[in-house]
Amino acid sequence: MSDTTIVTVGADMFAEAVEGQAVDVERVDWRPPMPGTEADLAKVATDPRRTEANRRAVEAMLGVTAHLVDVAPASEVLGLEKGQFLHAGPPIEWERASGPLRGALMGGAVLEGLVDDAEDAVALFESGSSVSLEPCHHRSAVGPMAGVVTPSMWMWVLEDRSTGRRTYCSLNEGLGKVLRYGAYNDEVLTRLRWMGDVLGPLLQAAVRGTEEATDVTGILTQMLQMGDEAHNRNRAGTLMLLRDLSPAMVDAGFDSSDVADSLRFVGGNDHFFLNLAMPACKLALDAGRDVPGSTMVVAMARNGTDFGIQVSGTGDEWFTGPAQVAEGLFLGDYGPDDANPDIGDSAITETAGIGGFAMATAPAIVRLVGGSVPDALATTRRMHEITLAENPRWTVPVLEFQGTPTGIDVTKVVRTGILPQINTGMAGAVAGVGQVGAGLVTPPAEIFPKALAALAAQVPA
Amino acid sequence: MSTDHVELRSGAYADSVTLLQVSRAVQAAPGVAAAQVAMATGLNLEVLTGMGFDVPDSSPNDMVVALRLDDDADLAAALAAVDTALVPTRPGSGDTTVAPPRTTGSALRRTGSGAVALVSVPGASATVEAMDALEAGHDVMVFSDNVPVAEEVALKQYATSRGALVMGPDCGTAVIDGVGLGFANTVRPGRIGIVAASGTGCQQLLALLDHAGTSLPGVGVRHALGVGGRDLSSAVGGLSTREALRRLDEDPDVDLVVVVSKPPAPEVAASLQEYADGLGTPVELGLLGRGQRDLTAVAESVLARLGHAAPAWPSYGSDGTGPASGPLLRGLFVGGTLCDESMLMATEALGPVRSNIPLSDDLALTDELLVDDHTFVDFGDDALTQGRAHPMIDPTLRNEQLARAAADPATGVILLDLVLGHGAEPDPASLLAPAIEAARAERRIPVIVSLVGTELDPQGLAAQRDALVAAGAEVHLSNAAATRRALDLIGARA
C-alpha cells in the first residue's frame, strides 16, 4: 500500500487503526508536560525565531575548538584582587553558603594571607567588608565543587582561536581532603602552596614551551573513545595531557625533583584533566550564548545551596532552585546524612553533552548509574530526548558512533519531564570534611518551567 | 565487644566505584557494624585508618577487606557477603531495548522522510507536538480539538512558509495515499482529491463516491486532506485549504479536486474561489451554507464532471416506517457536518431549528438538549466531549437522548447518523440498534438513520445496515436523502 510511516502521539486507537491498514507506526510515549506549562510551551514553540536561533546556538557551540594557551595566576588572567573570591554556581552570599563552600572560602582566605587561622575567616566573611564573592561563570571561569578561586591560584587558560575568546579553570588538587570539597587543614594548604610555587610555574613553562598548543577538544574526542566520560572519569584524558606536556616540562629547566614531583602528582590524579574538560565545555557553550529566541541551556551550575541554569535566549539571568543531594556511593562510613547538596560548575560537562550524557561511553563507571551497562546506554539515549543536536566529534563507539546528546533544550525538558543526568562527586555537609562520595544528581525540576516562562515572556507579540 | 577483621587480597582488582558498591552491600549484612572493601591506595588507607582499622603493609594493587563485627560468629557470613558482592552482576539477557520516543520530534528522527505525524494529545499540548513535525519538514494531522485559534494560525503560517501541510486542529479525517488517518473510511483508489474543512462531510463524500465507484470504474479517491473546521474562518483565512489545493493541483494522479466545508466566512470563500480558478486542475467547491447545495448534490456534481450520471442513492427498511406521530423533528448526530447539513435543509422546510451548534446564536440550546421545538444535537461538539470520548466511540450520551426524545409525545421523527470507518467503534450498530428498538417499543415512531460507510470499512456496511433495519430503522447512505425523508414524514403530519 503506502511506504509512509505514521508517527502517532496521543490516543492509541489511531495507532491501532493505522496498523490495521498494514502501515508502519512509530508511537510516541507521550505524557503531560510539567504542570502549568502548556501555554508557555505553545508560545515558545510558535516563536518564529526559535528554530533558527537554536540552529545558530548549536552551530556556534559545535564550532569551537578549545586550545590550551597558557597557565597563569588568577590575579593576572582574571584581574582578581586580594579579597575577591570566585565560587561555583549562581550568586550566593556567605549567610546562605553551604558547609563545603564556607570551608573552601576559609581555606582560600588563609592561602591569600587575609587571616592566619581559617576559623578567623568566618568573622571576615560575616562582616563582608574587604571581601567579595562572585560566581566563576561571571568571569569566564568554571570551578569544580566549591570552585573557590583566589588571586594567587594558577589557572588553565583555554582559547577559541577563531574568536580569541578565553575561559579559565584552576588546577586540580586531587581527591579526598582538598579545598574544592571544603577541606582546609594544613595538608590542604600545603598542597595548594606547592601548586602555586612549583606546579603552576612549571606548567606555565611547559605550555608556553610546547610548540603545538594542546587541542583540548581533540583530547576530549579521544578520551570519550577510551572509556572516559570526562566528568567522573578522566583517566585517559589526564594521560594524554601528560603525553603532550611532559617533554616541555622536562625541558623547562626546573629542578628535576620538582619536575618528578609534578609528573607524579599529575599522573597520580585521575581527575587532573577534569579542570581542562570543564573550561573547554564552557568555551563551547559561551559561543552559544545570547541568541534571542534560543531555548538552549548554556550553563548548569551549583553553589551547594542553589542549582542554577542560564539559557541562551535569556542572557545572564540565572534560574535557580534548591540543589538536591546526589544519590550514590559513599566513601568509608559516610552516608547520605553526611552529604552536602549538589555543588560545583562541573555540570558544564553535561551541559555540553559529556559526563552523565556520555555515560554509555564509560562502562568502567556504569555502577554510578544503577549498575549495568544497559542502564548506561539507556541514560545516554534518554538524554537525546532533551537535546537539540548530536555532537559529530564526540561519538560513542558502543552506540554505533552516534554523537553525544548536545544542547539541552528547555522546552524538551519541560515537555518530557526528563531531567539532565549529572555525574557528580559529593562533598561533606560540614566545612572541612572533604569528599564523602560520588553519585548521580539531577537539577530541581522547577527551574526549567521558570526559564521557559522567561523565554515565553520574550516572544515578540 | 566488636572485633575488626582486616585482610589483604593481592592480585584482586575492582574499580573504585564497584568497590564502593561492594562496601555498601557488605555494610548491610547481618552483624556488620562497618565495612570497607577498597584498593589499598593512599587515599583509601587514610579512610580506613580514619575508621579505626589497622591495615598491614600493602601496595595500591592489593585489595583490602576491612570488616567490623559485633560478634565474631558473623565473620564467615560477612566474608561470604563480600564474595557475593564482588561477583560482577551480569544481566542474563542484557536488556538493550531502546525506549520509545517521548516527543514527536524524537519519533520523527527514527522514521523516513515522508512520515506523517498524527497528533491526538489534549489540545493544550497539541501545538508543541505539531511544531515538531513541521520543523522536521513533515506534514501533520492534528486530531486534537480545543487548540486556541491563534496557535492554529501560527502553526499554519509556519507550515505555509515551508511548504508543509497542517491538517487540523480538530481534523477528524484524512486519507493519504490510501492510508486512513483518524476517523477514515476505506475507499477504492482513484483520481479524485478531496480537501475537507469538515470531518464527517469528508466521510460522507468518501462513502458516496465509493458507492458510486462500484458501478463506475475509475471513480475513487486518491487523497482526502482534512484541514480542520476553522480553516475557512476569517481568522485562519483558508491557509491549509490553499496548501492542500496546491498539492493536489501538482499531483499528476489527481484529475479533479473537491472542497467540502462547513459554512465558511464569505470573504474567505470568495478568495478561495479565486484561488481555485487559477489552478490547472478543476476544483468543485462544496461549501455548506444557506441556499448552497447539500453534500450529496456535490457528490453528484463531481460525478457529472467526470462524465457519469449519479446512481440512485440506496435506502433500506422503508417499508415499516409509518407516518410521524408528533410535530417535531429530533436530529441526534455524532457528525458535526452531517448535523449542519440536515439543519440547513430542515430550516428551509420547517423554519428555524434549535441546536447546540445553532445556525444563529438566538437558536442555541444550552444545557437542555431537548426543548419544545425542532432540535438538532451534535454530540461530537467540543462542549459535549470535554472529559469523555467522542460519540463515535462512546454512544452513551446519545442513546440517553434517544430514549428521552422517543418518550416525548411531541417527537414526530428521529433522525440519526451512524459513521463507520477506522477509529470508530468496531460494531456501532450493536450499540445503536437496541436503543432504536427500545425507542420504537413505546410507539412506532419513525427512526431515520444516515449510515456513512463503505463496504471495505472494518465494520462492514451490510452487517451494520442489516442490524439497524432489523431494529426498525430506515437506513440511507445519503444524509441529504435521509433528511429529506424525515422532512417528508414531518411534512405529511403537518
Side-chain angles (χ1 to χ4, degrees), chain B residues 311-339:
Chain B
W313 305 112
S315 69
Y316 308 88
S318 42
D319 310 340
T321 316
S325 50
L328 298 179
L329 175 58
R330 312 290 194 189
L332 305 172
F333 287 85
V334 299
T337 304
L338 301 175
C339 187

Side-chain angles (χ1 to χ4, degrees), chain A residues 1-15 17-18 20-21 23 26-33 38-39 41-43 45-48 50-51 175-177 187 235 328-334 364-368 370-375 377 381 384-385 387-388 390 412 415-418 435 437-438, chain B residues 13 15 17-18 20-21 24 27 34-36 43-44 46-47 51 68 85 87-89 91 94-112 114-122 124-125 127-129 131-132 135 143 151 154-155 158 162 176-183 186 393 422-424:
Chain A
M1 191 179 263
S2 168
D3 53 4
T4 300
T5 302
I6 306 297
V7 168
T8 62
V9 53
D12 198 57
M13 52 173 271
F14 293 128
V18 172
Q21 300 171 68
V23 173
E26 181 78 47
R27 288 171 166 84
V28 176
D29 180 17
W30 185 86
R31 321 198 186 154
E38 288 91 345
L41 277 172
K43 192 156 189 199
T46 51
D47 181 349
R50 181 181 49 93
T51 314
L175 282 175
K177 290 215 181 296
E187 173 198 346
R235 181 168 287 189
L329 303 169
F330 291 88
L331 292 167
D333 46 11
Y334 291 122
I365 57 164
V366 294
R367 277 158 208 269
L368 279 172
S372 72
V373 171
D375 288 336
L377 301 184
R381 286 189 171 123
H384 281 290
E385 295 286 348
T387 47
L388 292 163
E390 291 173 12
K412 290 182 181 173
R415 284 168 67 183
T416 61
I418 296 172
Q435 184 173 13
Chain B
Y13 174 80
D15 66 86
V17 176
T18 300
L20 282 170
Q21 207 173 42
R24 191 171 63 174
Q27 274 159 20
Q36 178 77 343
L43 172 64
N44 286 332
E46 230 177 84
V47 168
M51 291 170 76
R68 179 163 298 142
V87 174
T89 49
D95 182 12
T96 53
T97 315
V98 176
R102 293 291 304 279
T103 61
T104 302
S106 164
L108 285 166
R109 282 202 295 276
R110 307 184 188 194
T111 66
V116 176
L118 167 49
V119 177
S120 59
V121 298
S125 292
T127 296
V128 180
E129 301 300 328
M131 269 307 290
D132 270 10
E135 255 177 70
F143 179 87
E151 290 177 22
L155 281 173
Y158 182 80
R162 319 216 345 158
I176 296 172
D177 234 344
V179 181
L181 300 181
F183 298 130
T186 309
I393 301 157
H422 296 291

Side-chain angles (χ1 to χ4, degrees), chain B residues 288-307:
Chain B
L288 290 181
R290 289 177 202 253
Q292 302 295 315
R293 295 171 301 167
D294 59 60
L295 295 167
T296 304
V298 171
E300 287 168 354
S301 175
V302 166
L303 292 170
R305 285 181 95 141
L306 294 171

Side-chain angles (χ1 to χ4, degrees), chain A residues 211-268:
Chain A
E211 216 161 287
E212 191 77 18
T214 296
D215 175 352
V216 178
T217 310
I219 290 185
L220 282 164
T221 303
Q222 295 178 59
M223 62 195 277
L224 287 178
Q225 311 233 334
M226 296 165 75
D228 285 353
E229 39 68 276
H231 187 172
N232 265 24
R233 185 178 161 100
N234 286 278
R235 181 168 287 189
T238 299
L239 294 174
M240 279 187 279
L241 178 70
L242 262 187
R243 179 195 60 182
D244 278 12
L245 294 186
S246 52
M249 286 170 78
V250 172
D251 278 348
F254 280 58
D255 184 283
S256 69
S257 69
D258 284 345
V259 176
D261 284 347
S262 297
L263 288 170
R264 215 174 278 124
F265 179 78
V266 175

